[in-house]
Amino acid sequence: MLCATIRARKKVNSATMTEHIDVMISSTARDLPEHRKHLMEACQRQSTFPVMMEHLPPSADDAIDASLKMVDDAEIYVGVFAHRYGYMPDSPKNPNKISVTEMEYNRAKERGIPLLIFIMGDDHAIKASDVEMGESGEKLKRFKERLGTSHVCSFFTSPDDLRAKAIDALSKQRTPDLTNLHPPSDVKTPPEPYIAHPYTLLQTAQVVGRQAELNLLTDWLTRPNAMFGRTGTWGSIKLLNVVAIGGMGKSALTWKWFNEIAPQEVKGLAGRLWWSFYESNASWENFVIHALAYVGRQTREVIEKLPPPERETRLLTALDSGQYLFVLDGLERLLVAYARMDAAHMADDALDADTANRAAGALGLPESAGQSFIGQHPLRKSADPRVGAFLRKLTHVKGSRILITTRLYPSELQTVTGAPMAGAAAYFLTGLSDDDALNLWRAMGVSGSRDQLLPMFARFENYPLLIRALAGEVSKSKRAQGDFDKWRRANPAFDPLRQLKPIEVKSHVLDYAMR
């Protein structure tokens, strides 16, 4: 929960009416550039706004005034201390000859805002040039002693470790948005399925088509000796990742399979869990707590008292010894690419361009796979290193199976060559088959002949989102009332068959569908 101080000072973005929390990142800069970048990512991961010297515009303000103003504007102070004391301005405003970094701490303490203190541990690699000696070294020693007696300090051993600890600390300072909160449902008792966040986005009564993909998921669970790919068997795949851009139907597909097919095909499961990271409070910490409460048959209150590393260890032990089926939907929300406040509105195409590697064609993968599969691109890394480490451990569980849906393939599940690591596999979901595309169109209550519709669908690769969106527009049109021929006559400029690039065709169709 957000402390009373932040509740009193928090700001609201007038455009979106969302809570705006500024976090002052205070440290020496020359020796900690990577650490500061990781702290910025940690703030973004927790939907807060990092306030840093790097973001200041050119100004005539001196260093003291500029720094203290940033502290005054912040709701949370994050102080990071290594082996440099920092710049000590020779100014009448600095009679005690202390560093700007210590001034920032003093001002934050005077204001009474939350103070999160991180100190570089003895095991952290350092360069000799990053260690201050003499008078500065003595002042730093006294400052650290003061911090140690006034606060519970967290010690970090690397930039990644600092980011993980900062994410955890900031998560305890946030207030959930109670106007947009979808709390997990009450934890069930196995073998009763635990659906923490029901999937509610189906636009037709049921999933249309995708029989081949449904069969593939069933084979993964029921045919351990069947071949998957050219070299492995399904039994060796503990973690299966369904990868597709948004709107391809991966969540709907796995929801149908999890609820209707898996329980019929496999009897005697120890339990089934569905967790969606798309929900507003579905953080990694909450997932581990609720999952362990489920498999351990304990209350959340008991689990929350355990240290986070012990929770993860116990959860892995339970998944290793029992036969559970877990579905983790929307895991991209935990990756660097989507670990930001506007993740729901980001364009997949832009991210695909950033992560593209056309070597996928050499492996016989579809073109879309090249945009999210090859190479350990930093955008596809977990924003919190603990998540990536846990995903790797999930590939070694013996008794359980983990199914993940995500827009980008997590790089932690790959080797350095881009191949899936042992125990993991990726399935890249592409557009619908022609028959499935037609059936989806008609399930939306819209007319049209096969010869008329299929060439149009092919121009945007039978993309389900566009089929649903366009069919919805035609069905709601007062003039057409579901008659596609009438709708085309009323919209003569609509022509997806003209010579456009695929991305331009998608934009053209969406323009009419969303108008």
Side-chain angles (χ1 to χ4, degrees):
M1 292 292 292
L2 195 66
C3 71
T5 302
I6 298 179
R7 282 200 298 269
R9 299 178 181 273
K10 69 182 180 182
K11 299 178 281 290
V12 174
N13 184 316
S14 59
T16 62
M17 298 305 294
T18 56
E19 185 179 289
H20 180 113
I21 299 175
D22 287 330
V23 177
M24 170 62 182
I25 296 178
S26 174
S27 78
T28 52
R30 190 172 76 181
D31 55 326
L32 298 172
E34 288 301 313
H35 298 75
R36 292 175 68 84
K37 290 179 183 177
H38 279 64
L39 284 172
M40 181 174 67
E41 291 179 2
C43 291
Q44 293 171 339
R45 178 72 184 89
Q46 289 300 322
S47 300
T48 59
F49 294 79
V51 178
M52 309 167 67
M53 264 299 186
E54 292 90 328
H55 299 161
L56 286 178
S59 171
D61 291 346
D62 62 27
I64 296 176
D65 290 340
S67 294
L68 297 185
K69 185 178 186 305
M70 288 194 297
V71 178
D72 289 341
D73 290 341
E75 284 75 44
I76 301 174
Y77 167 91
V78 173
V80 182
F81 306 97
H83 298 284
R84 297 188 65 83
Y85 183 58
Y87 172 54
M88 294 181 287
D90 184 9
S91 166
K93 298 178 181 179
N94 187 22
N96 297 324
K97 302 299 181 184
I98 63 176
S99 68
V100 172
T101 306
E102 188 166 2
M103 290 182 194
E104 292 170 349
Y105 166 79
N106 290 341
R107 178 61 66 89
K109 189 172 183 180
E110 289 172 6
R111 291 189 59 223
I113 62 176
L115 306 174
L116 308 180
I117 307 300
F118 302 91
I119 297 177
M120 183 176 286
D122 294 338
D123 294 335
H124 196 299
I126 58 172
K127 296 184 295 185
S129 60
D130 290 336
V131 180
E132 283 189 326
M133 308 296 288
E135 180 186 3
S136 294
E138 287 299 318
K139 288 187 175 181
L140 176 63
K141 179 181 178 182
R142 290 194 295 270
F143 185 26
K144 284 185 175 179
E145 289 173 350
R146 178 185 169 200
L147 293 171
T149 57
S150 302
H151 306 279
V152 177
C153 302
S154 181
F155 294 85
F156 61 93
T157 58
S158 69
D160 281 345
D161 186 44
L162 173 61
R163 179 175 62 177
K165 287 180 166 62
I167 288 173
D168 183 61
L170 287 168
S171 71
K172 296 178 173 64
Q173 298 294 328
R174 291 176 54 199
T175 290
D177 180 1
L178 298 178
T179 65
N180 186 34
L181 187 62
H182 302 86
S185 60
D186 291 338
V187 177
K188 306 299 182 182
T189 301
E192 182 181 358
Y194 175 32
I195 299 173
H197 315 96
Y199 181 71
T200 58
L201 296 181
L202 282 178
Q203 292 178 271
T204 57
Q206 59 182 357
V207 175
V208 176
R210 294 293 192 190
Q211 192 57 52
E213 289 83 358
L214 293 169
N215 290 341
L216 180 140
L217 294 177
T218 300
D219 287 346
W220 168 60
L221 201 60
T222 63
R223 302 181 63 198
N225 296 322
M227 294 296 294
F228 173 69
R230 299 177 181 177
T231 57
T233 62
W234 277 126
S236 65
I237 306 301
K238 313 300 182 182
L239 187 152
L240 180 61
N241 195 169
V242 177
V243 185
I245 64 173
M248 195 61 75
K250 55 189 178 298
S251 295
L253 167 73
T254 51
W255 174 256
K256 176 182 176 69
W257 178 78
F258 175 86
N259 279 288
E260 300 178 19
I261 299 176
Q264 300 299 322
E265 295 287 348
V266 181
K267 304 297 184 183
L269 283 171
R272 291 182 292 128
L273 179 145
W274 173 282
W275 185 275
S276 174
F277 288 104
Y278 292 125
E279 299 301 333
S280 53
N281 73 331
S283 65
W284 179 254
E285 290 78 13
N286 267 350
F287 160 68
V288 174
I289 290 170
H290 285 77
L292 182 56
Y294 176 60
V295 300
R297 300 170 185 256
Q298 294 179 298
T299 65
R300 295 194 303 271
E301 290 73 20
V302 170
I303 303 300
E304 288 169 352
K305 294 178 181 179
L306 299 174
E310 186 174 347
R311 297 175 198 155
E312 295 179 359
T313 299
R314 291 192 181 188
L315 179 56
L316 285 168
T317 299
L319 294 175
D320 194 51
S321 58
Q323 190 180 13
Y324 292 92
L325 172 64
F326 275 21
V327 177
L328 310 184
D329 186 37
L331 193 80
E332 74 272 1
R333 289 298 179 88
L334 303 185
L335 305 183
V336 170
Y338 284 89
R340 42 191 286 188
M341 294 191 72
D342 60 346
H345 308 289
M346 295 177 68
D348 290 338
D349 291 316
L351 289 173
D352 288 342
D354 285 338
T355 59
N357 188 322
R358 299 305 174 186
L363 300 178
L365 296 171
E367 182 179 353
S368 59
Q371 299 169 344
S372 58
F373 184 69
I374 302 297
Q376 294 181 323
H377 195 284
L379 282 176
R380 293 186 288 104
K381 291 183 66 176
S382 301
D384 184 343
R386 294 176 305 166
V387 176
F390 193 85
L391 289 177
R392 285 183 174 271
K393 292 175 182 177
L394 284 176
T395 65
H396 302 301
V397 297
K398 295 182 177 65
S400 300
R401 294 292 182 270
I402 315 298
L403 178 60
I404 291 173
T405 74
T406 180
R407 296 184 181 186
L408 297 172
Y409 190 41
S411 62
E412 285 91 349
L413 297 178
Q414 297 175 272
T415 66
V416 293
T417 64
M421 65 179 298
Y427 178 77
F428 292 87
L429 194 63
T430 56
L432 297 170
S433 69
D434 286 350
D435 286 341
D436 287 349
L438 286 170
N439 289 336
L440 175 58
W441 178 266
R442 288 166 181 158
M444 301 287 291
V446 184
S447 67
S449 68
R450 182 184 184 91
D451 291 342
Q452 178 188 36
L453 295 172
L454 288 184
M456 179 180 69
F457 295 162
R459 290 291 286 128
F460 50 82
E461 301 169 338
N462 288 11
Y463 185 26
L465 175 64
L466 291 186
I467 294 173
R468 290 198 303 266
L470 186 58
E473 167 62 18
V474 177
S475 67
K476 294 174 184 176
S477 169
K478 292 182 179 179
R479 297 179 64 180
Q481 296 183 334
D483 187 316
F484 188 54
D485 289 329
K486 289 184 179 179
W487 187 87
R488 287 292 296 269
R489 290 194 294 271
N491 295 272
F494 179 78
D495 184 15
L497 299 182
R498 71 179 190 265
Q499 294 303 310
L500 296 173
K501 296 178 181 179
I503 185 62
E504 293 172 333
V505 173
K506 291 179 182 179
S507 298
H508 179 70
V509 174
L510 274 176
D511 180 50
Y512 278 87
M514 303 300 184
R515 187 167 290 180

